[in-house]
Amino acid sequence: MKKVIVIFIGIVFLSLNSSAQNLVNTELQNILNQSLVYFPKVKEVQQTVALSEEKLKLTKLNSYPDLSFDASYAYVQPKIEVAFGDKMFQFAPEHNYGAAINGVYTLLDFGRLKANIEKSKMELQASKHIAAQLKESLFYQVTQLYFQIIYAKKAIEIQNTVLQVLTENKTIIETQLKNGNAIQLDLLTIQAKIDNENNRKIDVETNLKKLTNLLSYATGIEKVDGNQLEFSLKNYTTEEALQQAIMNNPSLAIAKDKVNIAKAELEVSKLSTKPIVGMKASAGSRNGYLPAIQDQRFNYNAGIGLSVPLFNGGKLKQAVKIHEQGLAIQETGATALLHDFVKDIKATIIDIESNQNRIKNASTQIEQATLAQKLSNAKLLNGTTTPIELTSTNADYQKALLNQLQYQYQLCNAQIELLRLIGVEIAD
């Protein structure tokens, strides 16, 4: 496992934006960019990144000394005095005034500050990758929604085509019924088919309205003009896709960040057993100095201190063990995530290849169904067909068109999923 982790975290992560490609049309690219401005969650994550930046600044500020100004007053009774002959000699004033500027500075912390700064940098990097992950997730969800809308629109077009053919057939049957070449059942059969297809169309139109509402929720845009289910994506091998994922996918980057943060926390924990060398200094004014105890006098002091942890009941050692276990958990999690990516990438590539083959086969089916429908219509004009044959050929034609559309949509979805896995941005 450790060998896999070393390989995984040893790969240099490229910038998440460096792999951006113009894979989509202008309309979708504009919709995606609009989602970054419109969707509230994006702003929340951006604020999280800003917070991490401020935390890093705060950690770095620990390298500066701490200065404070203190002022005090104290009234002391009884008087601190002693008798010398017939006179009383006072050693301290009743009214004590003091003001001073105090400074504390760590001279040597044996790497504590450096380790905490590195930890804060890792946390900032993780927050940036989380922001990139949200952007990726939003882009892919909006892209899927965009193509679902196009799929629904094309499905409605197919329904309109089928309804047009059925309506033409109904007109022919009505004429034949008047001429005595058809019976009322033939007309009722074709009308029932028309009503059924109209209901299907209503279902698709209802779904389209819901999809449009979701698009408006995510982007503020309520209209899609595109009508093509296509993606310009090269054919990746499993190895190529996995390398792209390791370099670019923000989820894998976050897993690497978690490992690095766990390492930083372990390092900080180990340094807790080291001593600290610090300096303290103070300068100010106060009264109470002999012999003129009431007078304010300038005073100062400075010194160096050493603090060495000797015994704490084993708490520091236990903290180190906890952080070591935490690091092992994060390394195992990173390995498991990478293992899942291999599985998902292989499955997605299989889906892409299978749907590409299905689309090719569907073209032949459409050609055959189209010819069968034309022949059926011609036989209807000649009065040599039956409603059952007519309904069957129309159903086959509709099924062939819908199958091809479904395969195109599935291919598009699989390509989107592969892009998500390999971490390539859909749009700039």
Side-chain angles (χ1 to χ4, degrees):
M1 184 189 73
K2 290 185 176 179
K3 184 177 180 181
V4 176
I5 287 294
V6 170
I7 296 173
F8 172 46
I9 66 177
I11 295 179
V12 179
F13 275 74
L14 300 178
S15 168
L16 291 174
N17 292 327
S18 64
S19 58
Q21 303 177 22
N22 292 326
L23 299 170
V24 298
N25 57 54
T26 303
E27 180 186 38
L28 178 53
Q29 187 164 355
N30 291 336
I31 292 175
L32 294 174
N33 292 333
Q34 176 65 20
S35 68
L36 291 177
V37 179
Y38 187 83
F39 199 63
K41 190 69 176 179
V42 174
K43 185 176 181 180
E44 178 184 344
V45 176
Q46 290 171 344
Q47 291 171 337
T48 303
V49 174
L51 177 61
S52 297
E53 290 174 344
E54 296 302 323
K55 287 182 177 179
L56 175 59
K57 291 179 182 178
L58 177 61
T59 304
K60 289 181 177 179
L61 289 175
N62 288 325
S63 62
Y64 294 95
D66 292 334
L67 298 177
S68 63
F69 173 77
D70 296 329
S72 63
Y73 164 77
Y75 177 71
V76 180
Q77 282 292 338
K79 295 179 181 180
I80 305 174
E81 57 184 4
V82 65
F84 283 91
D86 58 349
K87 293 184 178 181
M88 299 297 292
F89 187 80
Q90 187 173 349
F91 288 93
E94 300 168 71
H95 302 278
N96 293 267
Y97 301 92
I101 294 177
N102 303 304
V104 178
Y105 181 65
T106 301
L107 294 175
L108 186 62
D109 65 356
F110 293 92
R112 279 185 178 85
L113 178 59
K114 181 180 178 182
N116 278 291
I117 289 175
E118 288 301 315
K119 178 175 174 288
S120 295
K121 287 181 178 179
M122 295 298 176
E123 290 172 345
L124 173 60
Q125 186 69 15
S127 65
K128 289 181 178 179
H129 285 149
I130 290 172
Q133 185 185 49
L134 173 67
K135 177 183 175 183
E136 177 201 61
S137 176
L138 179 61
F139 272 19
Y140 289 113
Q141 289 181 32
V142 171
T143 301
Q144 286 180 326
L145 190 57
Y146 176 81
F147 285 113
Q148 283 177 343
I149 290 174
I150 292 178
Y151 172 80
K153 288 168 60 178
K154 294 179 79 67
I156 291 173
E157 290 176 1
I158 292 174
Q159 287 300 115
N160 288 334
T161 301
V162 172
L163 284 168
Q164 180 182 355
V165 173
L166 290 174
T167 302
E168 292 173 353
N169 292 340
K170 178 186 175 183
T171 302
I172 296 172
I173 291 176
E174 286 175 338
T175 303
Q176 291 177 343
L177 181 62
K178 291 178 181 179
N179 296 332
N181 297 326
I183 60 176
Q184 187 67 30
L185 180 60
D186 295 338
L187 183 60
L188 290 174
T189 300
I190 196 70
Q191 183 61 53
K193 182 63 176 176
I194 291 174
D195 292 341
N196 185 50
E197 295 304 327
N198 273 323
N199 285 336
R200 287 188 181 181
K201 180 180 176 181
I202 291 172
D203 290 340
V204 179
E205 288 175 337
T206 301
N207 186 49
L208 177 58
K209 291 177 182 178
K210 292 179 179 179
L211 293 171
T212 304
N213 179 56
L214 286 175
L215 183 67
S216 175
Y217 163 75
T219 66
I221 296 174
E222 299 182 356
K223 183 181 179 183
V224 170
D225 295 324
N227 61 355
Q228 296 299 318
L229 290 170
E230 60 182 8
F231 242 109
S232 300
L233 182 65
K234 62 168 286 188
N235 291 324
Y236 284 92
T237 65
T238 301
E239 293 73 18
E240 290 173 340
L242 182 59
Q243 289 303 315
Q244 285 285 330
I246 292 175
M247 290 190 293
N248 301 313
N249 189 281
S251 295
L252 291 175
I254 292 171
K256 174 179 178 288
D257 292 334
K258 289 180 178 179
V259 172
N260 289 334
I261 290 173
K263 287 182 177 180
E265 289 176 342
L266 176 60
E267 183 65 20
V268 170
S269 180
K270 288 180 177 179
L271 291 173
S272 298
T273 61
K274 302 293 183 180
I276 296 178
V277 179
M279 182 180 71
K280 294 182 179 180
S282 177
S285 176
R286 54 166 291 185
N287 62 351
Y289 287 98
L290 295 173
I293 60 174
Q294 302 296 340
D295 295 344
Q296 292 284 322
R297 297 184 62 182
F298 173 75
N299 69 92
Y300 63 92
N301 66 78
I304 295 178
L306 172 66
S307 176
V308 181
L310 295 178
F311 178 75
N312 50 43
K315 292 190 291 291
L316 294 181
K317 289 184 178 179
Q318 185 62 27
V320 170
K321 289 182 180 179
I322 291 173
H323 286 109
E324 287 175 342
Q325 186 63 35
L327 174 59
I329 291 173
Q330 295 302 335
E331 289 178 338
T332 303
T335 303
L337 182 63
L338 187 62
H339 187 67
D340 289 341
F341 264 73
V342 174
K343 170 184 68 72
D344 294 340
I345 286 173
K346 287 182 178 179
T348 304
I349 290 177
I350 290 172
D351 286 340
I352 290 174
E353 292 174 350
S354 63
N355 281 294
Q356 286 174 337
N357 292 329
R358 288 190 183 107
I359 290 172
K360 294 178 182 178
N361 296 333
S363 299
T364 303
Q365 294 172 359
I366 290 175
E367 184 178 359
Q368 184 272 336
T370 301
L371 290 175
Q373 186 188 56
K374 289 180 179 179
L375 178 61
S376 178
N377 291 340
K379 291 170 67 177
L380 177 64
L381 288 172
N382 296 328
T384 58
T385 188
T386 65
I388 294 177
E389 180 183 353
L390 186 64
T391 301
S392 176
T393 55
N394 284 331
D396 290 344
Y397 176 67
Q398 179 188 32
K399 183 178 180 181
L401 291 176
L402 288 175
N403 281 344
Q404 185 186 55
L405 178 61
Q406 184 68 27
Y407 298 148
Q408 290 172 343
Y409 176 66
Q410 289 174 352
L411 173 61
C412 190
N413 262 348
Q415 290 174 326
I416 293 172
E417 176 63 11
L418 182 60
L419 287 174
R420 185 191 68 80
L421 290 170
I422 66 179
V424 173
E425 285 193 1
I426 291 179
D428 295 326

